[in-house]
Amino acid sequence: MKILINNMSNYFKAALLLGTITLVGCEKRLDIAPTASIADNLALNTEGDVLVTLVGAYDGAQSAAAYGGDIMVLNDVIGNSTNINFTGTFAGLSDAYQTQMVSDNNFARDTWAACYNTINRCNNVLTAVAKVTSSTAKKNSVEGEALMLRASMYFELVRLFAKFVGDGDYATNPGVPLVLTPTGNVTDANYPARATVKAVYDQVIADLTKAETLLPTSNGNYVSKWAAAAQLSRVYLMIKDYANARDAANRVITGSGKSLAANFGNNWFTFINNAGATPGEYLFSLKVTAQDGTNSQNTYFGRAIGTIPGTAGRSDCKIRTNHINAYENGDFRKGYFTLSGGNYYTNKHLDRFGDVAIIRLAEMYLTRAECNQRLNTTVGATPLADINRIRTRVGLGSLAAVTLDDITKERSFELAFEGHYLIEAKRLQTAVGTLAWNDPKLILPIPRRETDVNKNLVQNAGYQ
């Protein structure tokens, strides 16, 4: 959802607005406003100021350490020696792959910082949303977008840095700090303790629920009502609220007007083959262009293939043949890998400037199917109908009956290498390599630079 800023003055204006705002004096004889910093009673004084800051929130979410790809890469790489042979040289990511992280792991540190930086930008927007006066619809959209982005950042933080739901009591387990107002002058209030996992989820659900009511059904390159509903479906699935997860997924499927791409492969190579157009199946994604944006999934999963112009990447994540062999014969997805230099690479991330796909419509069908199966309901469709819709799209025959195992297996193939591996293992309580699903090594450390400064932060188990 990257919104490009071509006006350089707007870029610098955004930069001034997005960091910590301090009050700086100016000699009255100059009779000009200070430009190195902006007083907090002036920084967000107009609708234009709020809109620029909202653009900055999108920019923060798009950073490499957040939804620019690192969040998804971490979820796919951590402990995933079953499906990936990671040969990269970045120590922080290598340590994550080997589940040997330390408290100053740079990937954990940067993701934490990027998420909270984005949250602060969202908080600035939400505090000043009343300044948006051009129309009620515009004001609602701005508020909804900020709530959606803030909720998304907290959702990723609590899944990565805290115990998963089902691992002990999530009403008492430490989650991450909840900061819901802009950070201004540093006081004791800027050193919050970790809220409980439940408190974080409650806030995420409240933000997304409100965002869904405020956002328009279509919003260009910005997040829409359906992106919020899709994210809400994910959140409910994580806390095992299957009825609400099902209903949110059903709202997206029946209301968004979107449909599955006729060809599974049309969801990728968006720049190489589709002139950068966003695939119609995407519900929430980030735009990458030759001028701006980052796609860390391409960086680590991609590879420059001589026969496919426009491909790139470090070739760090090689896909193991046992993963490919697990697909059924005839499955289009079984062949959606490229053999190069004796190793296989997923085609999903070869495109150097491909969009970063966060949520696709296919996931909503899979979620609706699983929740209906668990609850013995048929809201929207039967689980069998939903799974066969996914299967026939990739050339497989329809099943005559379906089990929960069939559904979760189909989900693992459909969403492979899109940032779901670790989360799905924890959600379904299955082993990650040789580790139990709730092993402390599978939780990111609270960054040491944060615990050094904020003595109220309790470190996760196993980290010094």
Side-chain angles (χ1 to χ4, degrees), residues 239-262:
I239 63 172
K240 306 183 188 304
D241 185 343
Y242 299 118
N244 275 316
R246 173 203 61 198
D247 292 347
N250 188 59
R251 290 198 300 274
V252 175
I253 293 167
T254 59
S256 68
K258 291 182 175 291
S259 58
L260 296 178

Side-chain angles (χ1 to χ4, degrees), residues 435-448:
L435 300 178
W437 68 274
N438 59 348
D439 192 292
K441 293 180 180 178
L442 300 175
I443 302 173
L444 294 184
I446 305 299
R448 188 174 67 181

Side-chain angles (χ1 to χ4, degrees), residues 418-436:
E418 294 181 50
H420 296 268
Y421 174 78
L422 180 64
I423 296 305
E424 285 294 285
K426 291 184 176 184
R427 182 176 74 85
L428 299 172
Q429 299 187 8
T430 57
V432 177
T434 61
L435 300 178

Side-chain angles (χ1 to χ4, degrees), residues 263-266 268 327-337 347 391 393-396:
N263 185 310
F264 177 83
N266 289 343
W268 291 279
Y327 293 82
E328 293 178 51
N329 290 332
D331 189 335
F332 178 88
R333 297 168 303 193
K334 185 182 183 76
Y336 207 60
F337 299 89
N347 287 2
R391 287 175 59 83
R393 196 257 290 264
V394 294
L396 293 174

